[in-house]
Structures are given as C-alpha cells and as structure tokens.
Amino acid sequence: MKGVVVYDTYYGNTKLVAEAIADELRAEGHEADLRSVREDYPAPPQGDIMFLGSPIRMGSATKRVKKFVKKLDKEAWRGKPVVVFTTILIQPENATDKQKESREKYDIAAGRRLRDFAKEEGLNAVERHLWVDVKGMKGPLVETGAEQAKQFARDVLPSLKKT
C-alpha cells in the first residue's frame, strides 16, 4: 500500500507530525510519499491512502490546504481514504471555561471542518482525525506529539486497508 502524506506548515510543527506519520507508514511496511502544499511536484499525488494535515490558524485550516483539496484529482482519489490531521495551540493549564469552550469550538473542531470540506469536495474523508498540541504560537510540538502521530497512524491503518 502507498500512503501520501500532504501537509502545510508555518513553523515546522505540522511538518514534524507529517514526517512521523510517513515514518510510521514505512515502519508498517508501506510506501510513503511526503508532500508540502507549498512545493510544486512533477506529478500529482498518487497512492492508496492520503493523510492531509494543516496547522490551525484563527480556527481554520490554511488556505493552501483548502486550495490543494479543491485542485486534487477527485476521480483519481475516488473511494480512497483521506485522513485529516492538525496542529493546534496547547490549552493552558489554568484555562477558563470560556477558553476551553473556544478551543473545542474553533481549534479542535477545525479538523472536523477540514474533514467535512474534503467530503464536500468529493473525497472519502474518514471520520476520525488527529490533532497534536503545539506549545506557544511557534512551537515546539508537545513532547509526545511525534509519538502521538505514529500511534494514530498505527491505529487507523487497519481500518483504512478495508476501505
């Protein structure tokens, strides 16, 4: 099986998550094609599964990721699973109820909105999505971030093989 891991990043945190997912795909015996939406490639992405990642900025996935989804060859990806992952600002320990509600409503939910956007664009976006916390505006990832991404890939791969 070949996985394509596509991501956007501002400070490198989402790239680290994408690399961890690609590493796990390889560790599980699969091919992995790692692609940034900021780069041009000679050929469109081709594979059996796609992991699609974005940092969450102002409660939304980046415009570059949305543009990538819109331009993706939907016919080539028809029926193939697409899995969303995001990076978001960590919740402070002393967060107020209003801050906690805001995080759920905007940041965590942004991954679901990206998934739903991919579905609306004709992709087979799976229900489950990953978010990894980032310390501070520019990072770094939380200490467990890369392992969390690898574990997520390990957990979703068996269900993706069946689709």
Coordinates of all heavy atoms in Angstrom, one line a residue, residues 43-92:
A43 N 4.4 15.5 -10.7 CA 3.2 14.7 -11.0 C 2.2 14.8 -9.8 O 2.7 15.0 -8.7 CB 3.6 13.2 -11.2
P44 N 1.0 14.7 -10.0 CA 0.0 14.8 -8.9 C 0.2 13.6 -7.9 O 0.8 12.5 -8.3 CB -1.4 14.7 -9.6 CG -1.1 14.1 -10.9 CD 0.3 14.4 -11.3
P45 N -0.2 13.7 -6.7 CA 0.0 12.6 -5.7 C -0.9 11.4 -6.1 O -2.0 11.5 -6.5 CB -0.5 13.2 -4.4 CG -1.5 14.3 -4.8 CD -1.0 14.9 -6.1
Q46 N -0.2 10.3 -6.0 CA -0.9 9.0 -6.3 C -0.6 8.0 -5.2 O 0.5 7.9 -4.7 CB -0.4 8.4 -7.6 CG -0.7 9.3 -8.8 CD -0.2 8.7 -10.1 OE1 0.4 7.6 -10.1 NE2 -0.5 9.3 -11.2
G47 N -1.6 7.4 -4.7 CA -1.5 6.4 -3.7 C -2.8 5.7 -3.3 O -3.8 5.9 -4.0
D48 N -2.8 5.0 -2.3 CA -3.9 4.2 -1.8 C -4.7 4.9 -0.7 O -5.8 4.7 -0.5 CB -3.5 2.8 -1.4 CG -2.8 2.1 -2.5 OD1 -3.4 1.9 -3.6 OD2 -1.7 1.7 -2.3
I49 N -3.9 5.7 0.1 CA -4.5 6.5 1.2 C -3.8 7.8 1.3 O -2.6 8.0 0.8 CB -4.3 5.7 2.6 CG1 -2.8 5.5 2.9 CG2 -5.1 4.5 2.6 CD1 -2.5 4.9 4.2
M50 N -4.5 8.8 1.8 CA -3.8 10.1 2.0 C -4.1 10.6 3.4 O -5.2 10.5 4.0 CB -4.5 11.1 1.0 CG -3.8 12.5 1.2 SD -4.6 13.8 0.1 CE -4.1 13.2 -1.5
F51 N -3.0 11.1 4.0 CA -3.1 11.9 5.2 C -2.9 13.3 4.9 O -2.0 13.7 4.2 CB -2.0 11.4 6.2 CG -2.2 10.0 6.8 CD1 -1.8 8.9 6.1 CD2 -2.8 9.9 8.0 CE1 -2.0 7.6 6.6 CE2 -3.0 8.6 8.5 CZ -2.6 7.5 7.8
L52 N -3.9 14.2 5.3 CA -3.9 15.6 4.9 C -3.8 16.4 6.2 O -4.7 16.3 7.1 CB -5.2 15.9 4.2 CG -5.5 17.3 3.8 CD1 -4.5 17.7 2.7 CD2 -6.9 17.4 3.3
G53 N -2.7 17.3 6.3 CA -2.5 18.0 7.5 C -2.4 19.5 7.3 O -1.9 20.0 6.3
S54 N -2.8 20.2 8.4 CA -2.7 21.7 8.4 C -2.6 22.2 9.8 O -3.1 21.6 10.7 CB -4.0 22.3 7.8 OG -4.0 23.7 7.9
P55 N -1.8 23.3 10.0 CA -1.9 23.9 11.2 C -3.2 24.7 11.3 O -3.8 25.0 10.3 CB -0.7 24.9 11.2 CG -0.5 25.2 9.7 CD -0.9 23.9 9.0
I56 N -3.7 24.9 12.5 CA -4.9 25.6 12.7 C -4.6 27.0 13.0 O -3.9 27.3 14.0 CB -5.9 24.9 13.7 CG1 -6.2 23.5 13.3 CG2 -7.1 25.8 14.0 CD1 -6.9 23.4 11.9
R57 N -5.1 27.9 12.2 CA -4.8 29.4 12.4 C -6.1 30.1 12.4 O -6.9 30.0 11.5 CB -3.9 29.9 11.3 CG -2.5 29.1 11.3 CD -1.6 29.5 10.3 NE -1.3 30.9 10.2 CZ -0.3 31.6 11.0 NH1 0.3 30.9 11.9 NH2 -0.1 32.8 10.9
M58 N -6.4 30.8 13.5 CA -7.6 31.5 13.6 C -8.8 30.6 13.4 O -9.8 30.9 12.8 CB -7.7 32.7 12.6 CG -6.5 33.6 12.6 SD -6.4 34.5 14.2 CE -7.8 35.7 13.9
G59 N -8.7 29.4 14.0 CA -9.8 28.4 14.0 C -10.1 27.8 12.6 O -11.2 27.2 12.4
S60 N -9.1 27.8 11.7 CA -9.3 27.2 10.4 C -8.1 26.6 9.9 O -7.0 27.0 10.2 CB -9.8 28.3 9.5 OG -10.1 27.7 8.2
A61 N -8.2 25.6 9.0 CA -7.1 25.1 8.2 C -6.6 26.2 7.3 O -7.3 27.1 7.0 CB -7.6 23.9 7.4
T62 N -5.4 26.0 6.8 CA -4.8 27.1 5.9 C -5.5 27.1 4.6 O -6.0 26.1 4.1 CB -3.3 26.9 5.8 OG1 -3.1 25.7 5.0 CG2 -2.6 26.8 7.1
K63 N -5.4 28.2 3.9 CA -5.9 28.4 2.6 C -5.2 27.5 1.6 O -5.8 27.0 0.6 CB -5.8 29.9 2.1 CG -6.7 30.8 2.8 CD -6.5 32.2 2.4 CE -7.4 33.1 3.2 NZ -7.3 34.6 2.8
R64 N -3.9 27.3 1.8 CA -3.2 26.4 0.9 C -3.7 25.0 0.9 O -3.7 24.3 -0.1 CB -1.7 26.4 1.3 CG -1.0 27.7 0.8 CD 0.5 27.6 1.1 NE 1.2 28.7 0.6 CZ 1.6 29.8 1.4 NH1 1.3 29.8 2.7 NH2 2.2 30.8 0.8
V65 N -4.0 24.5 2.1 CA -4.5 23.1 2.2 C -5.9 23.1 1.5 O -6.2 22.1 0.8 CB -4.6 22.7 3.7 CG1 -5.5 21.4 3.8 CG2 -3.2 22.4 4.2
K66 N -6.7 24.0 1.7 CA -8.1 24.1 1.1 C -7.9 24.1 -0.4 O -8.6 23.5 -1.2 CB -8.9 25.2 1.6 CG -9.3 25.0 3.1 CD -10.0 26.3 3.6 CE -10.3 26.2 5.1 NZ -10.9 27.4 5.6
K67 N -7.0 24.9 -0.9 CA -6.7 25.0 -2.3 C -6.3 23.7 -2.9 O -6.7 23.3 -4.0 CB -5.7 26.1 -2.6 CG -5.4 26.4 -4.1 CD -4.4 27.5 -4.2 CE -4.1 27.8 -5.7 NZ -3.1 28.8 -5.9
F68 N -5.4 23.0 -2.1 CA -4.9 21.7 -2.6 C -6.1 20.7 -2.7 O -6.2 20.0 -3.7 CB -3.9 21.1 -1.5 CG -3.5 19.7 -1.8 CD1 -2.5 19.4 -2.7 CD2 -4.2 18.7 -1.1 CE1 -2.2 18.1 -2.9 CE2 -3.9 17.4 -1.4 CZ -2.9 17.1 -2.3
V69 N -7.0 20.7 -1.7 CA -8.2 19.8 -1.8 C -9.0 20.2 -3.0 O -9.5 19.3 -3.7 CB -9.0 19.9 -0.5 CG1 -10.3 19.2 -0.6 CG2 -8.2 19.4 0.7
K70 N -9.2 21.4 -3.3 CA -10.1 21.8 -4.4 C -9.4 21.4 -5.7 O -10.2 21.0 -6.6 CB -10.3 23.3 -4.4 CG -11.3 23.8 -3.4 CD -11.6 25.3 -3.6 CE -12.7 25.6 -2.6 NZ -13.4 26.8 -3.0
K71 N -8.1 21.4 -5.8 CA -7.5 21.1 -7.1 C -7.1 19.6 -7.3 O -6.8 19.2 -8.4 CB -6.2 21.9 -7.2 CG -6.4 23.4 -7.5 CD -5.1 24.1 -7.7 CE -5.4 25.5 -8.3 NZ -4.2 26.1 -8.8
L72 N -7.3 18.9 -6.2 CA -6.9 17.4 -6.3 C -7.8 16.7 -7.3 O -9.0 17.0 -7.4 CB -7.1 16.8 -4.9 CG -6.6 15.4 -4.7 CD1 -5.1 15.4 -4.9 CD2 -7.0 14.9 -3.3
D73 N -7.2 15.8 -8.0 CA -7.9 15.0 -9.0 C -8.9 14.1 -8.2 O -8.5 13.0 -7.7 CB -7.0 14.2 -9.8 CG -7.7 13.3 -10.9 OD1 -8.9 13.2 -10.9 OD2 -6.9 12.8 -11.7
K74 N -10.1 14.4 -8.1 CA -11.1 13.7 -7.3 C -11.4 12.3 -7.9 O -11.6 11.3 -7.2 CB -12.5 14.4 -7.3 CG -12.4 15.9 -6.8 CD -11.7 16.0 -5.5 CE -11.7 17.4 -4.9 NZ -11.1 18.5 -5.7
E75 N -11.3 12.2 -9.3 CA -11.5 10.9 -9.9 C -10.4 9.9 -9.5 O -10.7 8.7 -9.2 CB -11.6 11.0 -11.4 CG -12.1 9.8 -12.1 CD -13.5 9.4 -11.6 OE1 -14.4 10.3 -11.4 OE2 -13.8 8.2 -11.5
A76 N -9.2 10.4 -9.5 CA -8.1 9.5 -9.1 C -8.1 9.1 -7.6 O -7.6 8.0 -7.2 CB -6.7 10.2 -9.3
W77 N -8.8 9.9 -6.8 CA -8.9 9.6 -5.4 C -10.2 9.1 -4.9 O -10.5 8.9 -3.8 CB -8.5 10.8 -4.5 CG -7.0 11.0 -4.5 CD1 -6.2 11.7 -5.4 CD2 -6.1 10.3 -3.7 NE1 -4.9 11.5 -5.1 CE2 -4.8 10.7 -4.1 CE3 -6.2 9.4 -2.6 CZ2 -3.6 10.2 -3.4 CZ3 -5.1 8.9 -2.0 CH2 -3.8 9.3 -2.4
R78 N -11.1 8.9 -5.9 CA -12.5 8.4 -5.6 C -12.4 7.1 -4.8 O -11.8 6.1 -5.2 CB -13.3 8.2 -6.8 CG -14.7 7.8 -6.5 CD -15.6 7.7 -7.8 NE -15.6 8.8 -8.6 CZ -16.2 10.0 -8.4 NH1 -16.8 10.1 -7.3 NH2 -16.1 11.0 -9.2
G79 N -13.1 7.1 -3.6 CA -13.1 5.9 -2.8 C -11.9 5.6 -1.9 O -11.9 4.7 -1.1
K80 N -10.8 6.3 -2.2 CA -9.6 6.1 -1.4 C -9.7 7.0 -0.1 O -10.1 8.1 -0.1 CB -8.4 6.5 -2.2 CG -8.2 5.6 -3.4 CD -7.0 6.0 -4.2 CE -6.9 5.2 -5.5 NZ -5.7 5.6 -6.3
P81 N -9.3 6.4 1.0 CA -9.5 7.1 2.3 C -8.5 8.3 2.4 O -7.3 8.2 2.0 CB -9.2 6.1 3.4 CG -8.4 5.0 2.7 CD -8.8 5.0 1.2
V82 N -9.1 9.4 3.0 CA -8.3 10.6 3.3 C -8.5 10.8 4.8 O -9.6 10.9 5.3 CB -8.8 11.8 2.5 CG1 -8.1 13.1 2.9 CG2 -8.6 11.6 1.0
V83 N -7.3 11.0 5.5 CA -7.3 11.1 6.9 C -6.8 12.5 7.3 O -5.7 12.9 6.8 CB -6.5 10.1 7.6 CG1 -6.5 10.2 9.1 CG2 -6.9 8.7 7.2
V84 N -7.5 13.3 8.1 CA -7.1 14.6 8.4 C -6.3 14.7 9.7 O -6.7 14.0 10.7 CB -8.3 15.5 8.5 CG1 -8.0 16.9 9.1 CG2 -9.0 15.7 7.1
F85 N -5.3 15.5 9.7 CA -4.6 15.8 11.0 C -4.2 17.3 11.1 O -4.1 17.9 10.1 CB -3.3 14.9 11.1 CG -2.2 15.2 10.1 CD1 -1.2 16.1 10.4 CD2 -2.2 14.6 8.9 CE1 -0.2 16.4 9.5 CE2 -1.2 14.8 8.0 CZ -0.2 15.7 8.3
T86 N -4.2 17.8 12.3 CA -4.0 19.2 12.5 C -3.0 19.4 13.7 O -2.9 18.5 14.5 CB -5.3 20.0 12.8 OG1 -5.9 19.5 13.9 CG2 -6.2 19.9 11.6
T87 N -2.4 20.6 13.7 CA -1.7 21.0 14.9 C -2.4 22.3 15.5 O -2.8 23.1 14.7 CB -0.2 21.3 14.6 OG1 -0.1 22.3 13.5 CG2 0.5 20.1 14.2
I88 N -2.5 22.3 16.8 CA -3.2 23.4 17.4 C -2.4 23.9 18.7 O -1.7 23.1 19.3 CB -4.7 23.1 17.8 CG1 -4.7 21.9 18.8 CG2 -5.4 22.7 16.5 CD1 -6.1 21.6 19.2
L89 N -2.7 25.1 19.0 CA -2.1 25.7 20.2 C -2.6 25.0 21.5 O -3.8 24.8 21.6 CB -2.4 27.2 20.3 CG -1.7 28.0 21.4 CD1 -0.2 28.0 21.2 CD2 -2.3 29.5 21.3
I90 N -1.6 24.6 22.3 CA -2.0 23.9 23.5 C -2.9 24.7 24.5 O -2.7 26.0 24.5 CB -0.7 23.4 24.3 CG1 -1.0 22.4 25.3 CG2 0.0 24.6 24.9 CD1 0.2 21.7 25.9
Q91 N -3.7 24.1 25.2 CA -4.6 24.7 26.1 C -3.8 25.0 27.4 O -3.2 24.1 28.0 CB -5.8 23.8 26.4 CG -6.8 24.4 27.3 CD -7.7 25.4 26.6 OE1 -8.2 25.1 25.6 NE2 -7.8 26.6 27.2
P92 N -3.8 26.2 27.9 CA -3.1 26.5 29.2 C -3.7 25.7 30.3 O -4.9 25.5 30.3 CB -3.2 28.0 29.4 CG -4.2 28.5 28.4 CD -4.4 27.4 27.4

